[in-house]
Amino acid sequence: MANKTQCFTCNKEKITYPCDGCSQRFCLIHLPEHQQKLNEELNHIIDDYNEFTERINGQKQNLHNHSLIKQINQWERNSIERIQQKAQECRETVIESSRTFINDIENKFNELNKQTQQLHKENDFNEIDLNNLKNQLRKITEELNNPSNVSIRQDSQAFISDISIISSKKPKFNKWKQNGITVAGGNGQGQELNQLNRPLGIFIDKNKNIIIVDVYNHRIVEWKHNAKEGKIIAGASGKGLRMDQLNGPTDVIVDQQNHSIIIADLGNRRVIQWLNQNQQILINNIDCCRLAMDKHGFLYVSDYKKNEVRRWKMGEYNEGVVVAGGNGKGNQLNQLNTPTFMFVDENQSVYVSDCNNHRVMKWRKDAKEGTIVAGGNGQGKNLNQFSQPQGIFVDDLGQIYVADSGNDRVMRWCEGEGEIVVGGNGEENRSNQLNGPIGLSFDHEGNINVADQSNHRIEKFEIIL
């Protein structure tokens, strides 16, 4: 009688047969079942192999869809955009430098032409005069034919060579008298017509008349040149929500086309236009901090809660277009943190005082992010730092002037370096001091006018010719 052993499947004593793979024994009934399971497992493995083969073939056919390829493509697009942005900035620099160069040549020629006309009119000249005129014209002609004030510098160390425009012509660094002249207010904090209560934005017309945002008196006042007191031109009815009232206005600009004034009426969350005592709300439900207008008549408004700057076409006050920030509060290059004053240049690039990031940002037209052009080295009082920058102005040479409010000074930045031009002597009320300067404006003679907020006055610092 054959030996019987226990079947691994049914656990009964039967004649069993071994499986070499698993070393178990199975009866005649369960041995085929075990073999069937092995066949099924083999089929699963074959299916997995087939699936793997399909994946291999699929990846061979879609090598361009690799995730790293997508990252490389994105890097390429970003690099091209930055190259185009850099190229455009260099083009603008060359155009502006060339414009300044040609204007200088033209001024020299006009002066020479005046001399020629004067000699011709007086009919009193000799060979020496004629030779002098010829030599001057020759020099001007040579200067025009051989402009050498700009060149290109390439950075060959970078993987993608960087270029920048180098000017051999040194800009003229203006200087100002360090003792200011009080041209408005300065009679203590108050609401009388010869007083101001924390002035903010200022606007100066060609006649040196100053329009002032008298924020805590909830009014806009105009001080005529050399006047002893101001005249209320908006908000004479006191603080309120009515159309003829203001509530904590923060900035004012003048629309040169119709000579109306446009006011950031922050407390009422509106931008309102005043024209001959008639009011019109231009933009409603906006935390309007400051205003600016470009040469094309577009209106720019900084929103300190949304941390963005929007642009509107005059007469079309819809949602507007975000031109700076708009990506939440932060310190990345596509973000702002409490934007305040702005300056818009000839190319519609927007310079923004990024107050709580203690920097000034430049956003080219249609750019997705800005560049730091001043500050950006943390809050502080070193010459490469700001403490809550406010009013801003950019001259024809690209020099950036900033009211460095927390440091009680006005600074000038050129090629990444800052210097104090006025103030910086403590926060008292002497003529060479500022206390929380906010608004900043230059008159047509180049004098600096500062809204010296905590001294409740407007100070003028005269240019040294």
Side-chain angles (χ1 to χ4, degrees):
M1 187 174 180
N3 292 331
K4 295 183 179 181
T5 56
Q6 190 178 55
C7 173
F8 180 76
T9 301
C10 64
N11 296 321
K12 293 181 179 180
E13 295 292 330
K14 292 184 177 182
I15 297 174
T16 58
Y17 302 89
C19 173
D20 294 335
C22 64
S23 300
Q24 302 295 336
R25 300 184 70 87
F26 299 90
C27 66
L28 283 174
I29 296 175
H30 294 108
L31 182 61
E33 291 180 1
H34 180 63
Q35 187 64 44
Q36 180 63 29
K37 287 182 180 179
L38 294 179
N39 289 334
E40 290 175 357
E41 289 185 18
L42 177 60
N43 289 333
H44 284 310
I45 292 173
I46 292 173
D47 290 341
D48 290 341
Y49 272 54
N50 292 335
E51 182 180 346
F52 185 81
T53 302
E54 290 178 2
R55 291 180 62 184
I56 285 287
N57 292 333
Q59 291 196 15
K60 284 182 179 179
Q61 296 173 5
N62 294 282
L63 294 177
H64 292 286
N65 291 329
H66 194 286
S67 60
L68 290 179
I69 294 295
K70 293 180 180 179
Q71 293 181 39
I72 293 170
N73 292 340
Q74 185 61 49
W75 169 83
E76 180 185 32
R77 287 191 292 270
N78 293 342
S79 298
I80 291 173
E81 183 176 333
R82 291 184 179 181
I83 291 170
Q84 290 174 335
Q85 179 175 341
K86 184 68 175 180
Q88 182 61 23
E89 289 175 354
C90 289
R91 279 191 287 267
E92 292 172 1
T93 301
V94 170
I95 291 171
E96 188 59 38
S97 177
S98 299
R99 182 183 293 116
T100 302
F101 171 75
I102 292 173
N103 287 342
D104 288 344
I105 296 293
E106 189 175 28
N107 290 336
K108 292 178 182 178
F109 175 75
N110 289 338
E111 184 61 32
L112 181 59
N113 192 39
K114 286 182 182 178
Q115 296 178 29
T116 305
Q117 296 294 333
Q118 187 67 25
L119 289 176
H120 186 269
K121 180 179 179 181
E122 295 176 354
N123 197 25
D124 183 18
F125 54 89
N126 54 33
E127 288 85 351
I128 296 175
D129 295 320
L130 295 178
N131 287 331
N132 182 44
L133 292 175
K134 289 179 182 178
N135 288 333
Q136 290 188 63
L137 180 59
R138 178 179 54 78
K139 289 180 180 179
I140 295 175
T141 303
E142 289 178 355
E143 190 174 352
L144 179 63
N145 292 335
N146 299 284
S148 59
N149 60 319
V150 293
S151 61
I152 288 180
R153 178 179 65 193
Q154 294 194 24
D155 180 7
S156 59
Q157 299 300 315
F159 174 68
I160 299 175
S161 295
D162 189 16
I163 65 170
S164 57
I165 301 301
I166 306 301
S167 176
S168 61
K169 182 177 181 180
K170 297 297 182 182
K172 178 184 178 183
F173 291 104
N174 292 324
K175 294 184 180 297
W176 290 264
K177 295 179 180 178
Q178 294 302 296
N179 292 312
I181 302 170
T182 301
V183 292
N187 297 300
Q189 182 178 12
Q191 61 182 2
E192 300 300 324
L193 290 179
N194 69 340
Q195 293 179 308
L196 298 170
N197 190 347
R198 293 190 172 274
L200 283 183
I202 54 177
F203 181 91
I204 302 177
D205 66 19
K206 61 183 179 181
N207 297 317
K208 300 184 187 177
N209 302 320
I210 308 175
I211 298 175
I212 306 166
V213 177
D214 193 6
V215 57
Y216 286 119
N217 283 326
H218 311 286
R219 65 190 185 187
I220 309 297
V221 292
E222 180 183 28
W223 285 62
K224 297 290 187 182
H225 182 50
N226 291 330
K228 300 300 182 184
E229 63 180 30
K231 174 186 176 183
I232 302 173
I233 59 174
S237 301
K239 176 181 178 181
L241 184 60
R242 295 199 317 261
M243 291 290 287
D244 64 339
Q245 294 178 308
L246 300 172
N247 181 4
T250 53
D251 204 6
V252 62
I253 58 175
V254 174
D255 185 348
Q256 302 288 357
Q257 293 183 352
N258 58 15
H259 303 291
S260 66
I261 61 172
I262 300 174
I263 304 166
D265 188 12
L266 178 60
N268 287 324
R269 301 188 69 242
R270 65 190 182 188
V271 176
I272 189 168
Q273 182 181 50
W274 286 58
L275 178 60
N276 299 325
Q277 297 304 312
N278 295 315
Q279 301 86 33
Q280 177 188 1
I281 296 176
L282 302 182
I283 308 168
N284 220 340
N285 299 317
I286 182 172
D287 295 297
C288 46
C289 189
R290 304 291 188 268
L291 306 173
M293 185 175 287
D294 65 23
K295 66 178 183 179
H296 303 291
F298 285 92
L299 177 65
Y300 298 74
V301 184
S302 61
D303 187 319
Y304 78 100
K305 285 190 176 180
K306 289 185 177 180
N307 295 291
E308 66 182 20
V309 176
R310 285 183 181 261
R311 180 183 68 216
W312 280 268
K313 184 177 181 180
M314 292 296 287
E316 298 180 9
Y317 298 105
N318 40 35
E319 292 298 315
V321 177
V322 176
V323 295
N327 296 296
K329 179 190 294 187
N331 61 4
Q332 300 301 309
L333 293 180
N334 67 342
Q335 294 179 306
L336 298 169
N337 186 354
T338 315
T340 58
F341 286 90
M342 301 159 288
F343 181 90
V344 186
D345 68 13
E346 294 286 313
N347 303 304
Q348 292 184 300
S349 295
V350 183
Y351 295 77
V352 186
S353 281
D354 191 7
C355 184
N356 287 337
N357 280 328
H358 313 289
R359 66 189 185 184
V360 173
M361 301 289 291
K362 178 183 178 181
W363 290 66
R364 290 182 59 253
K365 185 179 179 182
D366 300 325
K368 296 294 187 290
E369 62 180 31
T371 56
I372 301 172
V373 292
N377 298 300
Q379 183 177 14
K381 59 182 179 181
N382 294 327
L383 292 181
N384 67 341
Q385 294 178 305
F386 286 128
S387 178
Q388 297 185 322
Q390 293 285 341
I392 182 172
F393 178 83
V394 182
D395 67 14
D396 293 337
L397 297 174
Q399 299 174 123
I400 305 167
Y401 295 81
V402 183
D404 188 9
S405 182
N407 288 320
D408 308 301
R409 64 193 184 186
V410 175
M411 298 192 70
R412 171 172 55 200
W413 284 69
C414 182
E415 297 181 354
E417 298 180 356
E419 65 172 330
I420 301 171
V421 290
V422 295
N425 301 306
E427 57 180 19
E428 301 300 325
N429 61 0
R430 295 198 298 271
S431 62
N432 69 337
Q433 294 178 309
L434 298 169
N435 190 352
I438 300 288
L440 180 67
S441 184
F442 284 69
D443 61 30
H444 288 269
E445 294 179 352
N447 303 312
I448 298 177
N449 294 264
V450 185
D452 191 10
Q453 187 187 42
S454 296
N455 282 327
H456 315 288
R457 66 187 183 184
I458 308 299
E459 287 290 283
K460 179 174 75 172
F461 295 87
E462 295 181 321
I463 191 170
I464 299 174
L465 299 175

